[in-house]
Amino acid sequence: MTEQRAYIRPAPVVRGASVAERNADCRIYRVSGLKYPLACRPNQDDPILLRNIFEAEEYRLPIENFNPKFIIDCGANVGYSVVYFANVYPKAKIIAVEPEEVNFKMLEGNATFYDQVTCIRSAIWDKETYIRVVDDYNSTAGFTTVETTADDPQALKTTSIGRLLEGSSFDRIDLLKIDIEGAEKEVFEADDVHDWLSKTAVIAIELHDRVKRGCSSAMFRALARYDYFLALNGENLIFIREDMIN
């Protein structure tokens, strides 16, 4: 991936258009270094995500000879991070979780060429309950989730990282990517957080204290029990348990 850079044209500015209107324009993009094309909405945040992931390589890890077997992508959006992982780690089994309906359809389409990817329409939470997706920022890269009841017409059943690990055939998470727009506070404050955190080798996370106060403190309190090495790449904090890598 490093030698073959991706070149994506910038998105035009669309003022006053709703998310639904901007969703309507979806095109096929060819990205250098990738065998298969990707669906992209040029009037949405998709081109920015493409550049961040394939040009800036914000999920490139500072680890030599890293060969993950199991990856969970929490907040997979339209699947660009999933495709990046599938190309860099072609032998890894990947679970991709995304709650927003249109993003999820694009995720399924972009991941369709990669047999090792399983897409789940759900939201990561601290327990099994119901949430609804909220568009606070008129942005397809910034949907948030709030807890609701089963009788809400927009209710979507949640899942948890622990449940995803339990339902897999693996005994650990080699790489956990988290970009869930503030729900990381609930995730790291969950009663079962150490059940899966103790079995996680690498975490790549974007924190959202601007969306929900307490995300960072909840995460650092949970991680304090473990010996993680911290690296930065773009907006992501990357935590590495070197004892689980070597």
Side-chain angles (χ1 to χ4, degrees), residues 29-46:
Y29 277 43
R30 287 284 180 180
V31 178
S32 60
L34 298 184
K35 181 178 180 180
Y36 303 109
L38 292 171
C40 176
R41 297 161 295 188
N43 298 322
Q44 284 285 12
D45 299 299
D46 299 355

Side-chain angles (χ1 to χ4, degrees), residues 137 141-145 179-184 206 208 210-212 215:
Y137 302 99
F143 288 111
T144 57
T145 52
D179 187 357
I180 51 178
E181 303 300 325
E184 60 267 25
E206 181 178 338
H208 300 87
R210 68 186 183 278
V211 175
K212 186 180 295 182
C215 292

Side-chain angles (χ1 to χ4, degrees), residues 2-24:
T2 305
E3 290 75 23
Q4 294 180 306
R5 312 298 288 184
Y7 296 95
I8 299 99
R9 63 193 175 97
V13 176
V14 178
R15 301 185 184 279
S18 68
V19 168
E21 290 170 326
R22 286 183 279 137
N23 276 344

Side-chain angles (χ1 to χ4, degrees), residues 7-235:
Y7 296 95
I8 299 99
R9 63 193 175 97
V13 176
V14 178
R15 301 185 184 279
S18 68
V19 168
E21 290 170 326
R22 286 183 279 137
N23 276 344
D25 185 12
C26 186
R27 307 177 189 181
I28 298 300
Y29 277 43
R30 287 284 180 180
V31 178
S32 60
L34 298 184
K35 181 178 180 180
Y36 303 109
L38 292 171
C40 176
R41 297 161 295 188
N43 298 322
Q44 284 285 12
D45 299 299
D46 299 355
I48 297 172
L49 297 176
L50 275 173
R51 290 197 299 272
N52 289 346
I53 292 171
F54 293 102
E55 286 186 13
E57 289 192 275
E58 288 193 349
Y59 290 109
R60 185 182 182 191
L61 303 177
I63 310 171
E64 294 184 4
N65 302 317
F66 183 49
N67 297 299
K69 296 178 181 178
F70 184 43
I71 299 171
I72 300 178
D73 188 328
C74 305
N77 198 264
V78 298
Y80 300 149
S81 54
V82 172
V83 170
Y84 179 85
F85 294 141
N87 279 272
V88 175
Y89 309 116
K91 295 183 180 180
K93 168 70 176 177
I94 304 171
I95 292 180
V97 183
E98 169 59 35
E100 202 280 322
E101 183 177 10
V102 177
N103 284 351
F104 181 76
K105 289 178 180 178
M106 290 186 64
L107 163 64
E108 285 189 307
N110 285 326
T112 192
F113 300 105
Y114 302 92
D115 293 338
Q116 71 268 47
V117 177
T118 299
C119 301
I120 300 175
R121 189 180 173 216
S122 185
I124 301 294
W125 208 248
D126 61 336
K127 58 184 178 296
E128 287 196 346
T129 183
Y130 293 89
I131 60 90
R132 58 184 170 86
V133 176
V134 179
D135 178 17
D136 287 326
Y137 302 99
N138 196 31
S139 165
T140 54
F143 288 111
T144 57
T145 52
V146 295
E147 194 165 347
T148 187
T149 57
D151 59 353
D152 186 332
Q154 300 179 32
L156 181 67
K157 195 170 184 178
T158 65
T159 188
S160 68
I161 294 171
R163 179 56 66 106
L164 293 174
L165 178 58
E166 289 174 8
S168 75
S169 59
F170 300 92
D171 58 5
R172 58 179 260 176
I173 305 168
D174 296 297
L175 172 56
L176 175 64
K177 174 250 178 179
I178 303 177
D179 187 357
I180 51 178
E181 303 300 325
E184 60 267 25
K185 183 177 188 294
E186 283 77 14
V187 166
F188 283 100
E189 289 181 343
D191 292 338
D192 70 341
V193 63
H194 295 292
D195 292 347
W196 57 264
L197 194 52
S198 63
K199 303 171 185 175
T200 302
V202 179
I203 300 171
I205 184 170
E206 181 178 338
L207 293 168
H208 300 87
D209 287 83
R210 68 186 183 278
V211 175
K212 186 180 295 182
R213 291 284 190 260
C215 292
S216 296
S217 58
M219 182 198 69
F220 281 110
R221 278 196 304 270
L223 292 180
R225 185 181 296 189
Y226 308 95
D227 187 16
Y228 278 101
F229 165 76
L230 173 62
L232 303 175
N233 193 349
E235 295 183 308

